[in-house]
Amino acid sequence: MNLKEYVEWDVAEVLEYEYTYQYNEPGSELSNTDRLFALKVKSCSSYFNNKVYMARPADMNMKRIPLVGEFVLIFKTFNEQSTSNRWRTGWYYVSTIDLQSSINENRLPGISDGLTQEQIDAIKPGKTFTSKTISPLQPYEGDMLLEGRWGNSIRFGSSINTTYPAGYYYKSTPWPSNQDGDPIIILSNGRNNKSKKEFTVENAEQDASSLYLTSTQRIDTLTLTKDLTVHNSAFVGSQFVGVADRVILRAKSDIAVIDSQEAIVLNTPNEIYIGGEDATEPLAHGLVLQQILQLIVQAISAGSTGPGGAPCVTNASALLSQISTLLPDLNSTKYKMTKT
């Protein structure tokens, strides 16, 4: 048996989807469980009589589903109906070919059919897809970049030598470090995109939301509502930095733990609610409360003057003395709050 008869490569144009975004149960007329995410594609290997195939993704764990009018590298090999005695084949697509060098879409429809320009202009990329101008990320040597069509990305990068030749990179890294080659992971979502495919780089303050896993890098683009003066924000150890308009952390069935060897800072110029956002009971300022209680003890200890001018002294002087001894312990040496 000649293996070459069962392995073949081609380039094909995506014509339409074959229930790619639907699920139809086995046994139904439109069942698609044996061809999940399949695309109808047309070969571009010749100018005439180009064949139409049904192509499935070659990798079910990592998929980049192309648009109508984009081109894919496809190959033919064994399908699920093959046995040791008989080989059956099917077509699979590997990846989209970046004809336009575009992050958002790389369409060039009509090539496989020789359509007129009017017919080409009428071909839509899909049922819901809307084209957008999306800036590609600035790459740095050694990076591995995963970029979505909409300006969402994961960068597996590193600290870059600050002595690289002037102009070598279009944009310098905004995560300086004294240790070249140390790893950093950046998950970024929603950036300020620019025209003409201009490179962009992640910015913790300007991106819609982001997550940084650093090793020795500083995130200089991050601005806090109140500057850290005691615990310097220019910390150079590993950091876990998350930024968004709203942050929600939820433990579904057990406790939520924030653990720190040094300190925990709740940094806000406005209110902090404990127990719920409808909390109305204000927390007492410990030093002020201690001062008030101390004055009360002193006032009671001083006694008073009776109707005849005779001094009246409390009969609980021992208790007052005990209270005075305990008052310094009212304030925690560990937990502190801002006086407002």
Side-chain angles (χ1 to χ4, degrees), residues 75-328:
F75 67 94
K76 182 182 73 173
T77 188
F78 318 121
N79 66 14
E80 74 283 357
Q81 297 177 350
S82 297
T83 66
S84 58
N85 298 322
R86 184 173 181 180
W87 292 351
R88 293 178 173 86
T89 60
W91 285 90
Y92 304 84
Y93 66 89
V94 180
S95 64
T96 303
I97 299 173
D98 295 333
L99 296 177
Q100 310 290 355
S101 292
S102 170
I103 293 296
N104 186 244
E105 55 99 355
N106 284 276
R107 302 174 65 238
L108 192 64
I111 298 298
S112 62
D113 279 329
L115 302 180
T116 66
Q117 189 59 49
E118 183 178 358
Q119 292 172 317
I120 291 174
D121 293 341
I123 299 175
K124 296 182 178 180
K127 302 295 184 183
T128 62
F129 183 88
T130 301
S131 298
K132 294 186 67 175
T133 298
I134 301 296
S135 298
L137 280 179
Q138 166 72 59
Y140 302 102
E141 289 183 351
D143 278 358
M144 186 174 81
L145 303 175
L146 297 178
E147 297 187 63
R149 294 182 187 267
W150 311 108
N152 37 13
S153 61
I154 302 177
R155 181 193 294 271
F156 297 87
S158 68
S159 301
I160 304 298
N161 191 321
T162 56
T163 61
Y164 52 77
Y168 185 66
Y169 291 123
Y170 180 70
K171 287 185 175 293
S172 299
T173 59
W175 48 84
S177 171
N178 295 326
Q179 299 293 327
D180 300 332
D182 282 355
I184 185 171
I185 298 175
I186 304 173
L187 190 154
S188 176
N189 182 54
R191 291 186 285 275
N192 293 327
N193 296 295
K194 301 180 180 181
S195 61
K196 301 179 181 178
K197 302 176 183 177
E198 182 179 348
F199 287 172
T200 188
V201 69
E202 299 91 339
N203 186 300
E205 200 62 39
Q206 296 177 4
D207 296 346
S209 57
S210 52
L211 183 66
Y212 288 72
L213 299 177
T214 77
S215 52
T216 59
Q217 299 82 8
R218 303 189 309 275
I219 310 301
D220 290 345
T221 56
L222 179 64
T223 301
L224 301 180
T225 55
K226 296 173 66 177
D227 289 336
L228 296 179
T229 55
V230 178
H231 304 89
N232 194 338
S233 58
F235 178 72
V236 296
S238 63
Q239 299 182 77
F240 177 95
V241 179
V243 185
D245 292 335
R246 174 175 288 191
V247 177
I248 298 175
L249 301 175
R250 178 172 180 258
K252 292 178 62 176
S253 61
D254 206 281
I255 63 173
V257 178
I258 300 178
D259 181 71
S260 171
Q261 183 66 33
E262 180 67 21
I264 295 175
V265 178
L266 299 178
N267 194 8
T268 176
N270 296 303
E271 295 84 3
I272 295 177
Y273 298 94
I274 299 176
E277 62 177 348
D278 58 347
T280 57
E281 293 291 328
L283 294 176
H285 291 292
L287 292 175
V288 176
L289 177 60
Q290 181 186 23
Q291 187 178 12
I292 292 173
L293 293 176
Q294 187 68 58
L295 291 173
I296 292 174
V297 170
Q298 291 175 0
I300 296 175
S301 299
S304 60
T305 302
C312 299
V313 181
T314 178
N315 293 323
S317 58
L319 291 176
L320 293 176
S321 177
Q322 184 178 359
I323 292 173
S324 296
T325 302
L326 292 174
L327 280 177

Side-chain angles (χ1 to χ4, degrees), residues 325-336:
T325 302
L326 292 174
L327 280 177
D329 296 332
L330 178 67
N331 295 319
S332 171
T333 59
K334 199 172 182 182
Y335 304 103
K336 304 181 186 301

Side-chain angles (χ1 to χ4, degrees), residues 8 10 12 39-43 51-55 74 91:
E8 184 179 343
D10 204 343
L39 306 173
K40 184 177 288 186
V41 300
K42 192 169 188 179
S43 168
K51 297 179 181 179
V52 175
Y53 304 117
M54 198 65 65
I74 62 174
W91 285 90

